[in-house]
């Protein structure tokens, strides 16, 4: 290992991170991680101030016509507590006139001030409070109310609100001027509701007030129970004594740690949240961002990331950095085949859908006084997506979070390599490794499992390690959204009625993308079959057909689809854990056997269970190129090689009785030489930019990716490091880069 004299700034970093903890430096394995204590204190404080206990209020917020008053009365009856309607009980009694008269008397701006002043002079405890639709537009009064209660947002579909207001003969609300439609004003107000709520109740069309009231109570109970949603390792062995406490982690801890200490992967301890049919139908007309907010709020407890903050993260992640406003649009290809375009992000691959969001999760969850180094192994697309995502954090977060991505030096396309290297920033570096992706991924896992090394880094440099590969739950979770969104888009576009099943066909290497589709099904999306598409490295296809995962005598082949040139599929462990009813002992046995003997066989019952939902096949190199050619000739659409693999397998495995959604995991611009070979275009030896301009002249769909085209214009040579396929060498690189990161901060 490299050692530096412990200069003053290193001591300060370490002291900040461990100021309240005695660290035993004789054995680096015996470390206290401050985030555990910090999160415990955070939860303790949060619980004591936010619980609905005794003097706390339930505060119902939403637009006029949301049903706040009616629902509030029902909740008050159920809880046996006081019910306060802000309009009738506070404002009108304060003003001695009706709200509508006051609005007409003073106008919009003065009304908001008068309303806010009345709320600031009001206090209550142990009550259910129904706000006016305009209360959230006054900051000071909302802060006042939040001090002693939980704000529950009744999120009612806009079309329902407008219908209810017509029935109530309401033709003007606060803030509405001549020329402003009711619809536009209600849309405008949403920003204020999203700013203040602690919990959201999604009120699907047709829900009765009693049903909404029950949902409110469930939301409050969830909000109050900060320890209810935890994560366990896939290798966790359940105690025989069920009263014995399970060693579980919160979402924040799972995101920060990345990999469980026993080598397993984090999964939810309980079942996935499931949306009702009505809730899904209400999302049919929603935007991608709105869908993401609803789904991820159900999966992330507000004690880990408050709902309003989560919404801000999602809006930032899926903003102007995507070239398509729909984020992940679905395009009809031909017959009953549809393409889910997952390449509109800044680096042109499906990894952007999670890696524009996951860095914000990570930065929020880590203690503010600690530094982190993110280690990533990439088979092609993850590297640039990780570097890009973490480079978009704010300045303070970039100073405490650095990234190093390891990629197979000769195992990615030339464009992918240039993109990875060119994505290096002040807090992110790329390191080529003279081996394949499987080595890179295994090496990163071994570094995490080396407690002596990780302990040394923590004590010597005040830096902890984590991961942004799909082994990290925070990276996998956002991928559920686009599978659900694709189905909703098919319903929205009139191709299928809600409830009709679909198949999904996904080019698969590390099993994360297809596993996210499984989780979407658990949440209520009616996916019938998961079609696993492999290239010549078809270990997963063989496993799904036989139940035998066998790496013996199997060598990794380099193909036109390098991002699925993978033999060790990490996320398969999560799926087997799910299928085996969370049998951690079996997972430990199977994956230790894979590590030591390079194969394992699952039992007949598990094989049958796997094959109920999964089918699989693989595609040769020739078939891949032929699919690119034939699809272009028949549809005018250019598939990238990975999507072409899925197209070949979908054609072969689909039984034509229901639609199939094919995941287009990358833009063809990243693989121009393969595309030109497939389309029999001369000029493969041209520069990357010339190749793309030539492809662009064909006016095919999808159009050229602007960010990828811009990348080819930067021909300056960018320095990067290359290292031997040796874990100890990778460790040295990690330590050097941590040193570099620290010196950059103090220089």
């Amino acid at each position: 290992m490299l050692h530096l004299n412990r200069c003053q700034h290193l001591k300060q970093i370490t002291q900040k991170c461990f100021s309240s903890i005695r660290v035993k430096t004789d054995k680096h394995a015996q470390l206290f991680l401050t985030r555990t204590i910090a999160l415990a204190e955070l939860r303790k404080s949060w619980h004591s101030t936010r619980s609905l206990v005794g003097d706390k209020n339930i505060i119902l917020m939403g637009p006029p016509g949301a049903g706040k008053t009616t629902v509030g009365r029902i909740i008050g009856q159920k809880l046996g507590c006081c019910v306060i309607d802000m309009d009738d009980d506070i404002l009108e009694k304060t003003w001695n006139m009706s709200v509508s008269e006051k609005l007409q008397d003073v106008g919009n701006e003065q009304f908001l001030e008068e309303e806010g002043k009345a709320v600031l002079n009001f206090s209550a405890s142990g009550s259910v409070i129904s706000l006016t639709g305009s209360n959230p537009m006054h900051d000071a009064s909302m802060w006042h109310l939040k001090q002693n209660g939980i704000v529950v947002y009744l999120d009612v579909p806009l079309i329902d609100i407008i219908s209810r207001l017509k029935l109530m003969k309401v033709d003007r609300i606060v803030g509405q001027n001549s020329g402003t439609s009711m619809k536009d004003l209600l849309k405008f107000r949403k920003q204020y509701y999203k700013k203040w709520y602690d919990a959201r109740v999604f009120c699907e069309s047709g829900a009765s007030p009693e049903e909404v009231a029950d949902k409110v109570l469930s939301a409050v109970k969830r909000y109050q129970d900060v320890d209810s949603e935890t994560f366990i390792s896939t290798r966790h062995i359940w105690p025989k004594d069920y009263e014995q406490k399970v060693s579980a982690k919160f979402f924040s801890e799972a995101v920060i740690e990345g990999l469980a200490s026993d080598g397993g992967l984090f999964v939810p301890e309980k079942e996935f949240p499931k949306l009702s049919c009505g809730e899904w139908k209400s999302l049919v007309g929603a935007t991608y961002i709105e869908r993401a907010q609803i789904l991820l709020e159900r999966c992330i407890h507000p004690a880990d990331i408050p709902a309003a903050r989560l919404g801000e993260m999602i809006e930032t992640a899926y903003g102007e950095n995507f070239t398509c406003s729909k984020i992940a649009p679905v395009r009809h290809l031909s017959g009953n085949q549809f393409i889910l375009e997952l390449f509109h992000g800044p680096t042109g691959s499906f990894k952007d859908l999670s890696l524009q969001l996951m860095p914000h999760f990570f930065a929020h969850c880590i203690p503010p006084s600690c530094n982190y180094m993110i280690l990533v192994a990439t088979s092609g697309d993850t590297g640039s997506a990780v570097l890009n995502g973490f480079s978009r954090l704010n300045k303070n977060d970039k100073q405490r979070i650095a990234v190093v991505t390891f990629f197979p030096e000769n195992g990615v396309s030339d464009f992918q390599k240039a993109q990875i290297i060119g994505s290096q920033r002040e807090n992110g570096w790329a390191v080529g490794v003279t081996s394949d992706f499987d080595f890179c991924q295994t090496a990163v896992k071994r570094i995490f499992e080396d407690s002596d090394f990780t302990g040394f880094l923590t004590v010597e440099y005040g830096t902890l390690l984590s991961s942004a590969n799909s082994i990290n739950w925070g990276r996998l979770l956002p991928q559920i959204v686009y599978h659900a969104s694709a189905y909703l888009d098919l319903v929205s576009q009139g191709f299928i009625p809600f409830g009709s099943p679909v198949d999904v066909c996904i080019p698969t290497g590390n099993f994360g993308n297809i596993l996210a589709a499984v989780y979407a099904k658990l949440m209520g999306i009616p996916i019938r079959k998961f079609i696993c598409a492999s290239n010549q490295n078809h270990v997963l296809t063989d496993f799904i057909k036989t139940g035998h995962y066998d790496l013996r005598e199997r060598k990794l082949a380099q193909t036109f689809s390098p991002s699925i040139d993978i033999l060790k599929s990490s996320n398969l462990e999560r799926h087997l854990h799910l299928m085996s009813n969370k049998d951690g002992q079996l997972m430990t046995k199977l994956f230790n056997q894979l590590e030591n003997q390079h194969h394992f066989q699952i039992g007949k019952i598990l094989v049958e269970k796997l094959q109920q939902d999964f089918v699989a096949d693989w595609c040769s190199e020739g078939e891949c190129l032929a699919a690119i050619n034939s699809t272009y000739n028949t549809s005018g659409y250019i598939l990238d090689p990975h999507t072409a693999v899925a197209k070949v397998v979908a054609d072969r495995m689909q039984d034509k009785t229901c639609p199939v959604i094919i995941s287009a995991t990358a833009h063809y611009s990243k693989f121009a030489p393969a595309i030109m070979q497939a389309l029999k275009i001369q000029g493969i030896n041209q520069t990357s930019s010339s190749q793309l301009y030539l492809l662009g002249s064909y006016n095919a769909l999808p159009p050229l990716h602007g960010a990828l085209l811009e990348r080819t214009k930067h021909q300056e040579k960018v320095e990067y490091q290359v290292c031997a396929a040796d874990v100890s060498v990778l460790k040295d690189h990690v330590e050097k880069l941590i040193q570099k990161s620290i010196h950059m901060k103090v220089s």
Side-chain angles (χ1 to χ4, degrees), residues 280 288 291 295 328 330 340 342 350 353 476-490 496 502-508 511-527 529-531 661-665:
W280 281 119
Y288 189 90
R291 292 166 181 172
L295 297 181
V330 176
L340 171 56
L342 300 173
F350 78 101
L353 274 297
L476 181 62
L477 181 62
Q479 294 179 248
I480 299 170
V481 177
Y482 59 71
H483 288 297
S485 184
Y487 181 86
L488 295 173
D489 280 349
L490 287 190
I496 56 172
V502 297
D503 294 340
V504 294
C505 184
I506 301 171
T508 307
F511 211 80
N513 198 351
I514 203 165
L515 179 62
V518 172
Y519 292 151
K521 181 175 182 176
L522 293 178
M523 293 188 76
I525 294 296
I527 298 173
K529 288 289 184 182
F530 303 92
I531 305 173
I661 301 173
I662 299 171
S663 288
T665 53

Side-chain angles (χ1 to χ4, degrees), residues 616-633:
D617 212 336
W618 65 279
C619 166
S620 70
E621 294 290 84
E623 290 170 324
C624 172
L625 296 182
I628 295 170
N629 185 289
S630 63
T631 302
Y632 172 72
N633 287 329

Side-chain angles (χ1 to χ4, degrees), residues 474-598:
R475 156 74 189 281
L476 181 62
L477 181 62
Q479 294 179 248
I480 299 170
V481 177
Y482 59 71
H483 288 297
S485 184
Y487 181 86
L488 295 173
D489 280 349
L490 287 190
V491 176
S492 175
Q493 294 168 25
F495 288 106
I496 56 172
F498 187 87
S500 180
V502 297
D503 294 340
V504 294
C505 184
I506 301 171
T508 307
N510 219 16
F511 211 80
N513 198 351
I514 203 165
L515 179 62
V518 172
Y519 292 151
K521 181 175 182 176
L522 293 178
M523 293 188 76
I525 294 296
I527 298 173
R528 187 187 63 163
K529 288 289 184 182
F530 303 92
I531 305 173
C532 175
S534 305
N535 60 18
Q536 288 184 211
N537 299 294
H538 45 83
V539 61
L540 278 172
T541 291
D542 294 346
F543 172 70
I544 290 168
K545 289 182 175 181
T546 66
H548 190 197
Y549 201 99
D550 192 358
L551 300 182
R552 297 171 299 181
E553 307 300 323
R554 194 188 290 265
K555 291 185 178 180
L556 190 75
Q558 291 190 359
T559 71
F560 292 126
S561 46
S563 295
I564 54 173
D565 286 347
I566 297 171
L567 294 180
K568 289 184 178 179
S569 181
S570 290
N571 278 292
L572 178 63
E573 182 171 345
R574 281 189 169 114
H575 188 59
L576 292 180
H577 182 263
L578 178 67
M579 286 199 314
S580 64
N581 297 318
K582 302 180 180 178
D583 190 340
Q585 190 167 2
L586 177 62
M587 295 306 102
T588 302
K589 175 186 174 184
L590 293 179
F591 287 91
N592 281 343
Q593 187 177 343
L594 182 64
E595 185 69 23
N596 298 322
Q597 301 175 31
H598 308 294

